[in-house]
Amino acid sequence: MDSHRKTHQREDEDDVISPKPVALSKYSNRIELKTLLERSDGGARLAGKRVVIGGWVKSSRAVKKDSPPPPPPSQPSSVAVPPPPSTTKSNISCTEIIQSKMNIFRKLFDVLSGGGKTTYPIFDKPEITGQKATSPPEYTIYFLISDGSSVNSLQVVVDSAMSTIPTTQLMSLGTCIVAEGVLRHPLAASAKHVIELEAEKLLHVGTVDPEKYPLSKKQLPLHLLRDFSHFRPRTTTVGSVTRVHSALTLASHTFFQSNGFQYVQVPVITTTGVGEMFRVTTTLDREEKKHDGLSIETVKAAIKEKSRLIDHLKRSDSNREAVAAAVHDLKKTTDLAAQLEKKQKPKAATQKLDFFGCDAYLTVSGRFHLESYASALGKVYTYGPRFTADKIDNARHLAETWNVEAEMAFSELDDAMDCADDFFKFLCRYLLENRHEDMKFISKRVDKTVTTRLEATASNSLLRYSYTEAISLLQKATTRTFETKPKWGVDLTEEHLSYLTDEICKGSVMIIHSYPKEVKPFYVRLNDDKKTVAAFDLVVPKVGVVISGSQNEERFEILDASIKELGSTSREKYEWYLDLRRHGTVKHSGISLRMEHMLLFATGLPDIKDAVPFPRSWGKANN
Amino acid sequence: MDSHRKTHQREDEDDVISPKPVALSKYSNRIELKTLLERSDGGARLAGKRVVIGGWVKSSRAVKKDSPPPPPPSQPSSVAVPPPPSTTKSNISCTEIIQSKMNIFRKLFDVLSGGGKTTYPIFDKPEITGQKATSPPEYTIYFLISDGSSVNSLQVVVDSAMSTIPTTQLMSLGTCIVAEGVLRHPLAASAKHVIELEAEKLLHVGTVDPEKYPLSKKQLPLHLLRDFSHFRPRTTTVGSVTRVHSALTLASHTFFQSNGFQYVQVPVITTTGVGEMFRVTTTLDREEKKHDGLSIETVKAAIKEKSRLIDHLKRSDSNREAVAAAVHDLKKTTDLAAQLEKKQKPKAATQKLDFFGCDAYLTVSGRFHLESYASALGKVYTYGPRFTADKIDNARHLAETWNVEAEMAFSELDDAMDCADDFFKFLCRYLLENRHEDMKFISKRVDKTVTTRLEATASNSLLRYSYTEAISLLQKATTRTFETKPKWGVDLTEEHLSYLTDEICKGSVMIIHSYPKEVKPFYVRLNDDKKTVAAFDLVVPKVGVVISGSQNEERFEILDASIKELGSTSREKYEWYLDLRRHGTVKHSGISLRMEHMLLFATGLPDIKDAVPFPRSWGKANN
């Protein structure tokens, strides 16, 4: 492909009048479609340029050669499908799966082009096969190609004679095509797109087996796409969500580093933590593989038997080799028994056998480890995976999620609230400024209110209610009865939070300080009233808590007492955490943002399993 | 503390002549020392300003009041200790542990100040205690305070009368101090620092128990600090390494996003993978806790016994309740037996019981999942934890490491090599431009060559040798004999790589393409010679491979055959990976950077356990 690359570079260098030279995609042998399609002139001034593009077929139409070109299926900035039949969020249609809609388009084009003037070939397999044997007719194929760099697709016009691959196969949804050609203004006067590619060569075709390709069968709602998590990023919706996710990730690092925080790599494998946790081990597999199903009793019985045999051999003057062999055999069995006993022995023995020499778990939160670094570097943050083994399977819960966590020394609850507030708004603003095209698409396809919601969040100040105020507002609720009756002292449940955001505040809200100490973890700082603790939650409509934060207890005696209440087994593993209060303690507070929940808020997606590339949930870990 | 905050804001607003206004630290109630100490004027123009600062004591000296101030222990931009006694890298001294050096300083000051003129109190506990009972003498304490925002410390001058805490305790290494005061030029004419704080109030003191504080005992080499991973960021060396790590993290995201890559969140829990892996499970704990040591045989014996009892009861006309109770008891035991049988049943049953309903592991690499997203979005990257359960314990290996991985569609091996080359240089340049002070300190303390090495890497082109050339160079080696004799076909070992970088190239080198297929994983693309595969490694002196990359096989038949060679058990779990070749396949290549190894290269640290905050290695998982 080297020659193609050189061609482009020369073309680029010649381009002195273009306001924005067409950049070759770095590290790949083609131009990214984003650089063609997301220009201020829509790409108009690029007409006449020779380029190589690559991508996957989103839709295709064929017209018998020398027929006038049909009107384009759509402007390239949108997608060539009618609105999905169902507009409920849980049933968003997959925009790419339009092959089955081909007949609808044909009828549509008939009407638009005066009817009956252009013939649209029916590409049933038998027909093509039959034609190939004699003399295949030649078609002009109009592809919409996407390369994932942009929500937009490029129309690529291909002569079917360019490839020996049967036309139907070439046209299949999901086919990968790398084409060289010249950019031109569309021939059809009615075309809404500004630029298209007239292909001169097909440099690569990666075919699809339409019988097996999951995306082509029919319009799939998002929840069915979950079984094909390796293909679903090819849908425009999942592509856009990924680009939004990507932007939120960079924005998070940017926010904290530009505010003087240092990134700290906290461990995923940990020895401390609370709640239902995943165990990390190397003993399970090794032991299982070796002695599946063998019990210590069986082996002990075998030892007795073999010992008796040896006695018998000795008594009966058998030859030495036979005795030695039997003794050797017995030795192997007693070794096995020892191994099995070790395996059966509880705790201590298992721990010693295991990789780390102690019980190890997947972390539920990085804040403990962050506190240690905040007590040295002042302001620190991290971004990493967190795990809970709760057997919950719903639209808001995953076993593996990613959190952005920050911890600040010399800092109190108010500081953490300000930080959460600023961070949340920064993320919203960042998306509006940097993912304009994707947000436009998501607004159209997933949730109409999403852009206005981001704008409102970015520019208005967040409502703040104390826990006590929130309870009192809930108690006044007349239009709703709650499963858990709201009264001072109960933890705010999902139904409470959604009533507060959706009905009372009509937007996001911070529930701040004065939480009853019983509803928050043991390490949150006790307020002077001895009844409440210094914590807050940032709650958003339809999603729930996106950021939670707290000022953690810096006073040794109080933290020590809380840990004692956890029971004696916890004592030892929290010694290092207590150490931070023994030596050079300081007031500190921190926050934790649940990235997947932020993504739900930013996209309006109703289910967390569609917000993450490869979700892990109770009973399910695809790929 | 609100009043202090306001004071600062007003001060800031008044500051119109200062080239860089002193910013309050966002989200915490003090000014970050970096903003005072890393100004172009060294802070000179800030004299007279009132500020609140916070940090931890790095060193302290006391002078009886009204004695002339002693010369400062050092300029604030360096650290107040003589060079460590041992200069071997494996024994780098911890710069903060200077309390035990107090006597050396006293003698030094005696000499500098003319000798004997100033008296330096000996702060032994009994003496202080004795004095407190009568009338404690008053001292001026000179602290060097660090808040981790900078490698530099601020001298803070405190009157011992400001606090009721005994002076020795106040002076302890690691004590946390928040002080309000006025910035001034140092009084001592010989002082090398530009600005210091004359404290007027101590707003907070977080004391240290010097008997238990691990950092104060003596100068600890880095490997001893590993047992105190929660305190070691308070040492200047670990603090600097953390800030370098933080910079490399942001730089990685910046590099890829500015080159058009999308971040993709790949899963940590996975069902595919190769080599020694950690198992993730929820069965181990639950089962262990309930029935530790109970075997199915014991329980079955109990069932027999209990059944016999019921028969006996029935035959002997016992009352109904007794029979019902016995039946209920039997039921519980048979339930237990069923549970135990499930537990003992191999594989299938265990899998069903487990959280995900299948065997789950910690990921060894994110590239498989990235390939799926590259086949939709073109260019993608990720940054996350990777795990290997190899029982290796050395200075280059950890069980949990973080990788930056990137995958590009429409891309071949050369593209991946260019990407690795650019990325590596970008990181070096980024550190030189953004971590100047830390790199200066690391050069002084850890490795003198580190800055020149980064500079050379950033500006020169990397040497590239093919695998075949590398072997031939090694074969010509006369000054070294290798454990593994270098001949075409063997995998390059650590000794080969270090000879190549340290002896032959005197620097980093890329070993490129034409690796024998046997030494690389099954998914790497087969070259036309059918003997070699398309992979490369970027190797740096003293560390080894920092980036590896490959063009992965895009041809279905060839990948299919390789997977078949792995054996039948692998087949099913790689079906989704094969799918990517079944449908819309395209040439693609990718790279993987080992962040900890990059950090070793950038800092010259000899052991990976000192490069990561909380290292996890065979037999060890602290905190």
Side-chain angles (χ1 to χ4, degrees), chain B residues 76-265:
Chain B
S77 66
S78 74
V79 174
V81 277
S86 159
T87 52
T88 61
K89 280 188 191 169
S90 58
N91 194 27
I92 297 152
S93 67
C94 165
T95 62
E96 296 62 30
I97 305 147
I98 67 157
Q99 202 125 41
S100 60
K101 296 264 169 205
M102 193 76 87
N103 285 323
I104 297 174
F105 281 115
R106 283 174 198 145
K107 280 178 197 146
L108 193 69
F109 299 154
D110 279 351
V111 173
L112 287 170
S113 58
K117 202 173 161 190
T118 314
T119 56
Y120 296 94
I122 314 290
F123 283 122
D124 291 323
K125 265 196 176 161
E127 186 201 356
I128 282 286
T129 321
Q131 284 175 340
K132 267 202 92 175
T134 56
S135 140
E138 290 195 342
Y139 296 99
T140 303
I141 315 174
Y142 295 83
F143 289 107
L144 273 186
I145 300 277
S146 164
D147 71 354
S149 66
S150 163
V151 75
N152 300 323
S153 303
L154 178 72
Q155 174 150 307
V156 177
V157 186
V158 172
D159 188 319
S160 65
M162 279 179 205
S163 173
T164 55
I165 293 167
T167 312
T168 35
Q169 197 167 4
L170 204 58
M171 289 178 67
S172 284
L173 174 74
T175 301
C176 182
I177 283 180
V178 180
E180 179 175 343
V182 175
L183 292 169
R184 68 178 190 196
H185 299 294
L187 300 186
S190 58
K192 284 180 185 161
H193 58 281
V194 177
I195 201 88
E196 65 183 24
L197 183 76
E198 189 183 13
E200 294 183 349
K201 257 188 264 183
L202 289 187
L203 302 172
H204 164 80
V205 174
T207 58
V208 155
D209 180 350
E211 300 296 311
K212 289 183 183 160
Y213 191 54
L215 298 192
S216 66
K217 301 256 164 65
K218 52 175 178 165
Q219 287 203 12
L220 291 173
L222 281 175
H223 76 267
L224 287 184
L225 281 174
R226 286 176 208 151
D227 284 333
F228 310 103
S229 43
H230 53 309
F231 282 128
R232 62 181 180 165
R234 294 189 188 177
T235 68
T236 313
T237 301
V238 177
S240 273
V241 170
T242 307
R243 286 186 293 268
V244 168
H245 197 164
S246 174
L248 288 173
T249 298
L250 181 60
S252 298
H253 286 284
T254 305
F255 174 82
F256 284 105
Q257 297 232 0
S258 65
N259 279 308
F261 289 73
Q262 302 294 336
Y263 167 84
V264 173
Q265 182 178 306

Side-chain angles (χ1 to χ4, degrees), chain A residues 5 25-30 32 54-56 147-148 174 176 178 204 206-209 212-213 230-231 233-234 242-243 245-246 249-250 253 255 257 259 262-263 265 267-271 278-282 284-286 288 292 295 297 346 350 355-356 361-362 369 372-379 383 385 387 389-391 399-400 402 408-412 415 419 422 435 576 579 582-586 596 612-614 616-621 623, chain B residues 5 25-30 32 54-56 147-148 174 176 178 204 206-209 212-213 230-231 233-234 242-243 245-246 249-250 253 255 257 259 262-263 265 267-271 278-282 284-286 288 292 295 297 346 350 355-356 361-362 369 372-379 383 385 387 389-391 399-400 402 408-412 415 418-419 422 435 576 579 582-586 596 612-614 616-621 623:
Chain A
R5 186 188 301 207
S25 167
K26 259 187 165 172
Y27 321 125
S28 75
N29 304 312
R30 43 98 204 199
E32 277 171 47
W56 291 267
D147 71 354
C176 181
V178 181
H204 164 80
T207 58
V208 156
D209 180 350
K212 289 183 182 160
Y213 190 54
H230 54 309
F231 283 128
R234 294 188 190 178
T242 307
R243 286 185 295 268
H245 196 163
S246 175
T249 298
L250 181 60
H253 286 283
F255 175 82
Q257 297 231 359
N259 279 308
Q262 303 295 336
Y263 168 83
Q265 181 178 305
V268 172
I269 295 173
T270 181
T271 55
F278 287 103
R279 179 85 172 264
V280 175
T281 180
T282 53
L284 200 59
D285 270 359
R286 212 179 47 217
E288 253 181 19
D292 262 354
S295 82
E297 280 76 11
T350 324
F355 189 88
F356 296 107
Y361 302 89
L362 291 181
H369 293 93
S372 143
Y373 270 66
S375 302
L377 301 178
K379 298 196 298 191
Y383 182 33
F387 305 85
D390 295 303
K391 292 191 171 167
E400 172 180 339
W402 281 58
M408 302 156 278
F410 314 105
S411 166
E412 300 182 34
D415 301 297
C419 180
D422 286 356
R435 285 295 182 274
W576 71 271
D579 262 0
R582 268 192 198 100
H583 306 298
T585 191
V586 67
E596 290 80 2
V612 186
F614 300 90
R616 272 71 180 101
S617 59
W618 185 29
K620 197 139 198 175
N623 305 350
Chain B
R5 187 187 300 202
S25 167
K26 258 186 164 173
Y27 321 125
S28 74
N29 303 314
R30 43 99 206 198
E32 277 172 47
W56 292 267
D147 71 354
C176 182
V178 180
H204 164 80
T207 58
V208 155
D209 180 350
K212 289 183 183 160
Y213 191 54
H230 53 309
F231 282 128
R234 294 189 188 177
T242 307
R243 286 186 293 268
H245 197 164
S246 174
T249 298
L250 181 60
H253 286 284
F255 174 82
Q257 297 232 0
N259 279 308
Q262 302 294 336
Y263 167 84
Q265 182 178 306
V268 172
I269 295 173
T270 181
T271 55
F278 287 102
R279 179 84 172 263
V280 175
T281 181
T282 52
L284 201 57
D285 271 359
R286 211 180 46 217
E288 253 180 18
D292 262 354
S295 82
E297 279 77 11
T350 323
F355 189 88
F356 296 107
Y361 302 89
L362 291 181
H369 292 92
S372 143
Y373 269 66
S375 303
L377 301 178
K379 299 197 297 190
Y383 182 33
F387 305 86
D390 294 304
K391 293 191 169 167
E400 173 179 340
W402 280 61
M408 303 154 277
F410 314 104
S411 166
E412 301 183 34
D415 301 298
D418 289 346
C419 180
D422 288 355
R435 284 297 182 272
W576 72 271
D579 262 359
R582 269 192 199 100
H583 306 298
T585 191
V586 67
E596 289 80 3
V612 187
F614 300 91
R616 271 72 180 101
S617 60
W618 184 29
K620 198 139 197 174
N623 305 350

Side-chain angles (χ1 to χ4, degrees), chain A residues 470-487 490-501 503-504:
Chain A
I471 288 289
S472 132
L473 284 168
L474 288 168
Q475 283 171 335
K476 285 181 198 138
T478 49
T479 57
R480 178 105 67 107
T481 51
F482 302 105
E483 240 175 82
T484 307
K485 215 183 152 189
K487 63 172 181 184
V490 304
D491 198 3
L492 295 173
T493 62
E494 237 168 77
E495 50 169 0
H496 297 147
L497 297 178
S498 78
Y499 187 81
L500 278 170
T501 52
E503 303 294 323
I504 299 182

Side-chain angles (χ1 to χ4, degrees), chain A residues 73-93:
Chain A
S74 72
Q75 49 182 324
S77 66
S78 74
V79 175
V81 276
S86 159
T87 52
T88 61
K89 279 188 190 169
S90 58
N91 194 27
I92 297 150
S93 67

Side-chain angles (χ1 to χ4, degrees), chain A residues 204-459:
Chain A
H204 164 80
V205 174
T207 58
V208 156
D209 180 350
E211 299 296 310
K212 289 183 182 160
Y213 190 54
L215 298 192
S216 67
K217 300 254 165 68
K218 54 174 177 163
Q219 287 202 11
L220 293 173
L222 281 176
H223 76 268
L224 287 184
L225 281 173
R226 287 176 208 152
D227 283 334
F228 311 103
S229 43
H230 54 309
F231 283 128
R232 62 180 181 166
R234 294 188 190 178
T235 67
T236 314
T237 301
V238 177
S240 273
V241 170
T242 307
R243 286 185 295 268
V244 168
H245 196 163
S246 175
L248 288 173
T249 298
L250 181 60
S252 298
H253 286 283
T254 304
F255 175 82
F256 284 105
Q257 297 231 359
S258 65
N259 279 308
F261 289 72
Q262 303 295 336
Y263 168 83
V264 173
Q265 181 178 305
V266 301
V268 172
I269 295 173
T270 181
T271 55
T272 50
V274 289
E276 289 292 319
M277 297 175 84
F278 287 103
R279 179 85 172 264
V280 175
T281 180
T282 53
T283 56
L284 200 59
D285 270 359
R286 212 179 47 217
E287 297 299 322
E288 253 181 19
K289 275 178 202 153
K290 274 195 201 148
H291 316 300
D292 262 354
L294 257 188
S295 82
I296 183 72
E297 280 76 11
T298 320
V299 179
K300 278 185 175 166
I303 291 176
K304 261 191 196 163
E305 201 61 46
K306 287 176 184 181
S307 306
R308 255 200 299 258
L309 174 69
I310 293 171
D311 283 347
H312 174 75
L313 288 173
K314 281 180 177 168
R315 270 193 315 244
S316 61
D317 277 333
S318 299
N319 67 46
R320 273 188 177 174
E321 281 90 45
V323 176
V327 168
H328 180 74
D329 185 47
L330 175 64
K331 171 80 172 58
K332 282 205 299 192
T333 314
T334 51
D335 284 353
L336 177 59
Q339 277 182 45
L340 284 173
E341 283 215 306
K342 254 191 214 165
K343 187 186 161 192
Q344 285 204 344
K345 274 219 186 98
K347 285 284 161 198
T350 324
Q351 286 179 351
K352 266 195 192 160
L353 275 175
D354 214 340
F355 189 88
F356 296 107
C358 62
D359 288 349
Y361 302 89
L362 291 181
T363 184
V364 292
S365 161
R367 281 193 60 200
F368 278 16
H369 293 93
L370 275 188
E371 281 187 53
S372 143
Y373 270 66
S375 302
L377 301 178
K379 298 196 298 191
V380 292
Y381 79 104
T382 195
Y383 182 33
R386 307 291 173 248
F387 305 85
T388 48
D390 295 303
K391 292 191 171 167
I392 299 169
D393 184 16
N394 66 31
R396 294 283 170 275
H397 188 84
L398 287 177
E400 172 180 339
T401 55
W402 281 58
N403 283 7
V404 181
E405 294 154 343
E407 198 69 36
M408 302 156 278
F410 314 105
S411 166
E412 300 182 34
L413 185 67
D414 279 350
D415 301 297
M417 295 193 311
D418 289 346
C419 180
D421 198 327
D422 286 356
F423 181 34
F424 185 53
K425 284 178 181 158
F426 182 86
L427 293 180
C428 295
R429 228 172 6 247
Y430 192 92
L431 289 184
L432 292 168
E433 286 166 12
N434 294 281
R435 285 295 182 274
H436 181 68
E437 294 286 320
D438 286 310
M439 291 316 302
K440 213 168 77 183
F441 174 79
I442 289 167
S443 293
K444 212 163 61 182
R445 183 67 52 176
V446 185
D447 179 353
K448 282 186 179 46
T449 65
V450 76
T451 311
T452 48
R453 192 164 65 216
L454 289 180
E455 277 161 1
T457 307
S459 50

